[in-house]
Amino acid sequence: CGVDPATLSVKVNGVDVTSALSVSPAQATGTFSPAPGATGLTIEVTLADKAGNVATTVSEIPILRGVTVRVIDGGVTASSGLSQVVVELAGVSATTNSQGVATLPGVPGGSHVLTVDGRPSHVIWELPFEVTTTSSTQRTVRLPRLPAGLPTPISLTSDGRVQIETRVENPTLHAVAIEVPRLTVVTGSDTPEIAIFPVDASLTPGPLPTGFTPSRLYEAYPSGLTFSPGVSLRLPNTAQLPPGTQRDLYGFKAAQGGWVILGKIQVDPSAKFLETTSPYITGFSLFGYSDSTPITTLATLTLEDWNGDPLGGQVAQIPGQSGPMTEVSPGVYEQSITVARGGPLRSSVSVT
């Protein structure tokens, strides 16, 4: 049927755009772009006939953007790209090439979880990723190596329960352990092999919250395993805190946007380690607690090309800090940062 302009109303993302349409007896057309930061278009069309009957339809049209992910070996100082890493985002997947780059075409707008799977040589990480009209479509991930021979097999019953209470330790780091009680239900793998090991705090996959100043992080491997009821976690008392001292235990949760407080961790009577106050760890990820006095300082990075000329116009980012560094002069970048005293510092640079 034809369209009567007097009985047609169209809204795009809540804004009435009826007057901007080109209307004919056969159709109504218009061109619209999502606002900055939007994840798509919501189009609401209302039609009323001469008898007063009203019908409204709502259509959701997500934006589609190409995303590029570069995966770097977190176990080396140089930016060595990792090949054959499987990257998945919002149902779109790809494998990194020889430079460690994976291209994901047509990723819909919205808040997603980016999965970067470097097994068997590296860990598997889950990271938050926002796709909007203005968000960055490039991401660099430094993926920690999985220490050889470390994972401990966990025997499960046919219905996925732990057969024997198991303590998973790290032979090279005293006072690090995961306690998995008997009959715990494990999901995410039929033949789980788990491990725990330290990770350089500069490899944090997201900004550290205010007040969270770890000298190192701890990877409970592999990410994606879940436990019901939870398991206990034990970490070394690197700050030599007195017995009974409690600290917030942080975990990196991609679905919640990054680092979150999971509960308390307390120094044992021997003052050798801190342990969760109850078995509340229900999923594996990165963990850490504040074991260092934070300091605020000015970080300066100077970039030059092979000829010694300033390399300006680049994007320099310090992991764990909010936003990129500021270019204060050609090739010189600065940022006020808060870091753990004595901890390492790395920067990531996107060269154009």
Side-chain angles (χ1 to χ4, degrees):
C1 63
V3 175
D4 182 350
T7 62
L8 172 67
S9 173
V10 178
K11 293 181 178 180
V12 176
N13 289 354
V15 178
D16 194 321
V17 297
T18 307
S19 61
L21 296 173
S22 175
V23 181
S24 70
Q27 63 181 359
T29 61
T31 301
F32 307 96
S33 298
T39 59
L41 293 174
T42 300
I43 301 177
E44 180 181 325
V45 179
T46 301
L47 288 171
D49 62 17
K50 294 181 179 180
N53 299 308
V54 178
T56 299
T57 60
V58 178
S59 301
E60 300 284 348
I61 304 177
I63 64 168
L64 297 175
R65 302 192 68 187
V67 171
T68 301
V69 178
R70 184 171 186 234
V71 184
I72 297 175
D73 186 348
V76 296
T77 302
S79 298
S80 176
L82 281 176
S83 63
Q84 300 302 306
V85 174
V86 178
V87 178
E88 191 274 335
L89 181 64
V92 183
S93 62
T95 302
T96 57
N97 59 21
S98 58
Q99 286 76 45
V101 177
T103 301
L104 305 171
V107 177
S111 298
H112 307 298
V113 172
L114 171 67
T115 302
V116 183
D117 190 348
R119 294 176 292 183
S121 60
H122 291 69
V123 303
I124 174 174
W125 267 3
E126 295 181 340
L127 317 169
F129 199 103
E130 186 82 13
V131 178
T132 72
T133 54
T134 54
S135 63
S136 173
T137 57
Q138 298 182 349
R139 181 73 176 266
T140 298
V141 179
R142 284 187 175 273
L143 208 60
R145 291 181 178 181
L146 176 63
L150 200 58
T152 298
I154 302 294
S155 299
L156 302 181
T157 62
S158 58
D159 60 350
R161 297 178 182 273
V162 176
Q163 289 185 336
I164 303 172
E165 181 175 347
T166 305
R167 170 180 286 187
V168 178
E169 298 180 313
N170 185 310
T172 63
L173 189 61
H174 179 65
V176 173
I178 301 171
E179 297 277 358
V180 186
R182 180 175 176 271
L183 299 181
T184 299
V185 176
V186 181
T187 56
S189 175
D190 294 331
T191 56
E193 293 187 350
I194 67 179
I196 184 167
F197 54 92
V199 172
D200 191 326
S202 69
L203 296 180
T204 172
L208 300 176
T210 301
F212 179 35
T213 55
S215 62
R216 66 173 63 166
L217 302 171
Y218 300 88
E219 169 79 6
Y221 171 91
S223 293
L225 279 188
T226 60
F227 304 87
S228 178
V231 301
S232 297
L233 178 66
R234 193 176 73 185
L235 302 178
N237 185 11
T238 54
Q240 298 182 341
L241 301 170
T245 302
Q246 290 192 348
R247 288 286 188 268
D248 289 328
L249 178 67
Y250 287 80
F252 193 83
K253 301 295 183 181
Q256 299 179 48
W259 289 102
V260 297
I261 296 175
L262 302 175
K264 293 293 184 181
I265 192 166
Q266 181 171 308
V267 180
D268 81 307
S270 71
K272 294 181 179 179
F273 58 85
L274 292 86
E275 191 166 23
T276 48
T277 52
S278 64
Y280 58 75
I281 303 298
T282 58
F284 276 1
S285 67
L286 271 178
F287 298 99
Y289 70 96
S290 294
D291 59 352
S292 178
T293 303
I295 60 172
T296 299
T297 187
L298 182 67
T300 302
L301 175 68
T302 301
L303 296 179
E304 297 177 344
D305 62 17
W306 291 109
N307 298 318
D309 296 323
L311 196 59
Q314 310 307 310
V315 178
Q317 175 81 47
I318 298 177
Q321 306 298 318
S322 298
M325 303 181 76
T326 301
E327 186 174 4
V328 296
S329 63
V332 179
Y333 304 80
E334 291 184 348
Q335 185 178 20
S336 178
I337 61 173
T338 300
V339 294
R341 186 182 299 275
L345 191 63
R346 302 191 188 197
S347 64
S348 174
V349 181
S350 299
V351 180
T352 57

